[in-house]
Amino acid sequence: MQTLISQLQTRFQLSEFILQRDNLAFVTVTREQLRPLLLHLRDKEGFTHLVLLTAVDWIEDNIFQLTYLLGDRTAGCDIGVRLMLPRDVASMDSIHDLWPTAATYQRELREMFGIDFPESPRVDEDFILEGWTDLPPYRRDFDTLKYSQESYVDRLGRETKDPAAYMKLKLYPDEDNDG
Amino acid sequence: MADAEFGKADRSQYPHRRPDGSLDIDLTSGKYLKLWQGPNHPGITGNMSVELTVCGDEVVEGKTHVGYLHRGFEKLMERRTFIQCFPIVCRICVPEPDFNEYCYAAAVEELAGLEIPEKAKWIRALILEMGRINSYLMYLGGQAGAFGQGVIGQWTTYARDLMLDRFEELTGARIYHMFILPGGVRDDLPEGFDERMEQTLQEVERTLDDVYDTMFRNAVFKKRAVGLGYVDPALVDEYGITGPVARGAGVARDVRKDQPYLVYDQLDFEPVTGRESDVYARADVRRRDLLMSVDLIRQILSKMPHKGEVMATLPNVLHWKIPRGETYIRGECSRGEYGYYLVTDGSGYPRRVNVRGPSYTHAMALLEKLIVNVNISDVAGLMVSLHTYPPEIER
């Protein structure tokens, strides 16, 4: 894996490299380099399996991290290609032509994070949420508790406990549980 | 097209495609009908539906619809401490919940730098194989039921119930076990577990003998399953196909062998493969894989260390902060590659958890491709043969 990353660094501008395990590494690329890198990994290095495509919301830095995880099933190793997108211009080129199944991931990211993938098939169709008008719910600034309290009524007679406080009481009854 | 020509034409060329690649379907022409299979339909795999466009009794287009079961698991986990996520993760896959526990626990352990005791690895592998047997038994009942053989489901449910008894005595629960935690497993095997498990395994084998005679040698089942839902091996990488669907196409991919985890490198087995890549081949791969799991459980119980700790010492889990990092942990569940992508930010909560279930690709892109030109009555059999569970799609 180390050798592969060294080779990639000579061809692509990788701004960050993390060797998580012997068979798992993460690299960060620019928007322009993403597609050439994915094509190179798929066609030249044997990373033919798109394991997943997902996003991480780093709201404090105002960026979305897109992670394209590719697997080489013969060599038994994976590489996570990370791309940082500005949160306020959340749009990325589609890769459904490289892996048809990417269209599903992109459709979900459009709905759950509000990250657009123009040209991706059915990207604007409702995927899981029908008629959703609020903030994309997997963004960090979407408050699930507030939404739930505003949208639903508590069941009559139902008592709730704060999960953290209750667990602390059960697991560590001898501790000072006031604080 | 004249009726005589209609029957002889190459159906894969129908309906025609427009220059932009979309299907040339004019719903106002009167030739087509919209038909919903699900979400409440005996021939649907869980809480999902397929929007079919049919011409006569032939499906010309199918679109998968999910969302009936969305509980926002991934988002909920961001508001919970690492240990509080366990009652959530197992609910992502009802018939085989333990993979969620294992993948999530292993991801937390890796990012926290936690080593687990040797015996815990064996017990984890045991649990995962027990869950695989349960999942396959449910599948066999569903696959036979989709073609009208209701009795198979009754037999396999009986055998699964015996395995649930073993789960109950080991973990205290039948469906959601929450037995695998970061650091190991909650407890050692109970006294006399090996003997009772052996009796259960023998009963499972006897049931499978009956299933083989009644289902796999049945002329009606063969007539309907052979040739249906062919998956071209070339699609395996393109569509992210894993597990028995890939192995049924002759692609010998099995995470247990390709990237051995837990104790699989110490067990003697080879991935079960098929060749014909149709519904029958996939069912047969799963039947044989189930028998392999029976053998693996026997190997695990005989090779497992008799003594030793099953749980590492954990920090105070209520104040457990994990350094910033990210990882991906995968395992081979009964439906294919199951994985957890976990991102931590140094706080006491996961920054992001993303669950990669095999149904995500199998029930969406692949099903929508395979369903074209299938007879309406075969849709259920085709869907079940991909062994999909909707909660994996809408985590």
Side-chain angles (χ1 to χ4, degrees):
Chain A
M1 189 58 94
Q2 185 79 55
T3 314
L4 170 68
I5 300 297
S6 301
Q7 288 171 358
L8 291 177
Q9 280 172 326
T10 61
R11 297 177 63 117
F12 303 94
Q13 291 172 347
L14 307 181
S15 58
E16 198 179 0
F17 157 56
I18 301 163
L19 186 64
Q20 177 62 27
R21 290 193 302 264
D22 289 346
N23 59 0
L24 174 65
F26 291 95
V27 295
T28 307
V29 290
T30 59
R31 185 188 184 115
E32 295 72 32
Q33 298 253 297
L34 177 78
R35 193 178 180 84
L37 176 60
L38 293 181
L39 275 168
H40 177 79
L41 287 168
R42 187 190 73 169
D43 298 339
K44 305 287 185 193
E45 304 292 350
F47 288 88
T48 53
H49 175 41
L50 176 67
V51 180
L52 59 84
L53 164 56
T54 193
V56 186
D57 186 358
W58 298 104
I59 188 169
E60 60 273 43
D61 300 327
N62 198 33
I63 53 175
F64 282 126
Q65 170 189 327
L66 285 179
T67 303
Y68 300 77
L69 189 67
L70 307 183
D72 177 346
R73 296 201 262 196
T74 307
C77 57
D78 300 279
I79 185 164
V81 179
R82 309 186 312 171
L83 173 78
M84 303 304 172
L85 279 180
R87 244 175 138 262
D88 40 4
V89 198
S91 177
M92 186 55 206
D93 307 323
S94 172
I95 59 157
H96 70 275
D97 54 327
L98 306 185
W99 286 277
T101 190
T104 313
Y105 291 106
Q106 292 171 168
R107 201 171 146 204
E108 185 183 22
L109 289 174
R110 172 84 172 82
E111 186 171 80
M112 291 299 185
F113 285 90
I115 302 172
D116 197 11
F117 294 88
E119 312 295 325
S120 184
R122 297 167 63 190
V123 72
D124 292 323
E125 283 183 32
D126 287 342
F127 180 51
I128 289 168
L129 312 169
E130 282 184 9
W132 185 264
T133 54
D134 214 315
L135 263 181
Y138 276 20
R139 288 189 177 212
R140 296 287 287 192
D141 43 353
F142 176 76
D143 188 338
T144 45
L145 185 61
K146 181 167 169 279
Y147 176 81
S148 174
Q149 287 170 339
E150 288 173 357
S151 307
Y152 307 107
V153 181
D154 282 343
R155 223 178 293 165
L156 280 178
R158 185 179 183 187
E159 287 182 21
T160 56
K161 296 183 173 71
D162 173 55
Y166 186 73
M167 204 165 176
K168 194 173 177 183
L169 189 69
K170 287 287 176 187
L171 278 176
Y172 306 101
D174 298 332
E175 272 192 12
D176 174 16
N177 281 308
D178 295 333
Chain B
M1 190 183 292
D3 285 351
E5 284 178 43
F6 188 85
K8 291 175 188 169
D10 178 1
R11 305 304 299 155
S12 67
Q13 301 301 311
Y14 180 80
H16 306 292
R17 288 186 179 272
R18 300 187 187 98
D20 67 354
S22 61
L23 292 168
D24 187 8
I25 296 171
D26 178 9
L27 287 173
T28 61
S29 67
K31 284 171 65 180
Y32 304 99
L33 184 71
K34 282 279 184 189
L35 188 66
W36 284 76
Q37 181 140 330
N40 296 308
H41 189 285
I44 204 86
T45 53
N47 309 61
M48 60 185 278
S49 62
V50 188
E51 178 189 355
L52 303 174
T53 306
V54 298
C55 178
D57 59 1
E58 180 184 8
V59 176
V60 292
E61 189 178 39
K63 289 183 179 178
T64 306
H65 288 268
V66 293
Y68 305 99
L69 201 58
H70 185 65
R71 287 161 283 178
F73 290 126
E74 291 178 353
K75 178 80 174 181
L76 287 174
M77 282 190 260
E78 293 174 12
R79 292 181 69 107
R80 279 157 176 77
T81 60
F82 291 97
I83 203 78
Q84 284 176 331
C85 291
F86 275 88
I88 294 179
V89 293
C90 55
R91 287 172 166 81
I92 295 176
C93 179
V94 184
E96 203 178 8
D98 309 284
F99 266 93
N100 294 283
E101 296 177 16
Y102 162 66
C103 290
Y104 177 68
V108 168
E109 286 155 5
E110 184 178 308
L111 292 177
L114 201 62
E115 282 291 325
I116 70 166
E118 178 66 15
K119 190 167 188 185
K121 295 180 184 173
W122 288 88
I123 296 178
R124 283 184 178 186
L126 169 70
I127 289 170
L128 295 182
E129 291 306 319
M130 288 166 65
R132 189 185 317 277
I133 287 179
N134 276 353
S135 178
Y136 278 148
L137 287 169
M138 276 185 86
Y139 157 78
L140 285 169
Q143 186 68 75
F147 293 135
Q149 287 185 306
V151 71
I152 303 295
Q154 295 171 20
W155 294 349
T156 55
T157 300
Y158 155 70
R160 178 172 175 267
D161 211 46
L162 298 177
M163 192 57 83
L164 292 181
D165 289 345
R166 301 288 79 74
F167 264 119
E168 188 172 355
E169 66 168 302
L170 177 59
T171 71
R174 296 177 76 79
I175 305 298
Y176 299 128
H177 311 120
M178 288 168 262
F179 193 69
I180 298 174
L181 295 175
V185 293
R186 276 197 282 123
D187 209 347
D188 207 339
L189 303 186
E191 193 74 29
F193 182 83
D194 293 24
E195 292 75 27
R196 290 189 293 279
M197 176 57 88
E198 178 56 33
Q199 290 170 7
T200 299
L201 294 179
Q202 288 178 14
E203 198 60 25
V204 168
E205 286 176 320
R206 272 194 290 272
T207 304
L208 273 188
D209 285 345
D210 290 342
V211 167
Y212 181 71
D213 284 341
T214 314
M215 177 178 168
F216 286 86
R217 300 178 71 181
N218 180 291
V220 175
F221 181 72
K222 282 186 176 177
K223 183 87 177 168
R224 297 198 59 183
V226 171
L228 174 65
Y230 174 73
V231 176
D232 188 335
L235 295 180
V236 167
D237 276 334
E238 204 177 325
Y239 278 79
I241 301 168
T242 57
V245 181
R247 295 202 292 277
V251 181
R253 297 284 185 231
D254 188 324
V255 182
R256 291 173 292 181
K257 204 71 183 174
D258 300 339
Q259 293 184 15
Y261 50 100
L262 295 173
V263 296
Y264 284 104
D265 56 347
Q266 298 172 59
L267 301 175
D268 181 22
F269 69 101
E270 286 299 324
V272 174
T273 58
R275 199 178 52 184
E276 303 299 334
S277 200
D278 54 16
V279 171
Y280 189 91
R282 292 196 278 278
D284 195 48
V285 163
R286 293 185 178 107
R287 179 187 66 83
R288 288 184 287 133
D289 209 17
L290 198 164
L291 288 170
M292 193 174 84
S293 288
V294 169
D295 180 55
L296 287 176
I297 288 179
R298 288 189 174 122
Q299 287 188 47
I300 290 167
L301 288 174
S302 66
K303 292 180 177 177
M304 180 187 291
H306 293 292
K307 292 182 179 171
E309 295 295 318
V310 295
M311 178 61 91
T313 305
L314 292 179
N316 183 328
V317 293
L318 299 183
H319 305 290
W320 195 9
K321 292 183 178 174
I322 296 183
R324 183 167 178 151
E326 60 192 298
T327 190
Y328 177 71
I329 299 288
R330 60 158 61 86
E332 180 75 20
C333 77
S334 65
R335 301 168 312 291
E337 177 183 339
Y338 211 97
Y340 265 63
Y341 172 63
L342 175 64
V343 182
T344 51
D345 57 10
S347 73
Y349 303 88
R351 182 67 182 213
R352 173 91 174 105
V353 184
N354 184 232
V355 184
R356 194 261 184 223
S359 304
Y360 195 86
T361 47
H362 293 180
M364 300 292 300
L366 182 61
L367 176 65
E368 290 178 359
K369 183 174 179 62
L370 296 182
I371 211 165
V372 178
N373 301 121
V374 162
N375 191 288
I376 297 171
S377 62
D378 288 334
V379 169
L382 170 65
M383 283 185 63
V384 177
S385 82
L386 300 177
H387 205 180
T388 58
Y389 292 141
E392 292 171 9
I393 306 169
E394 40 185 298
R395 298 90 48 210

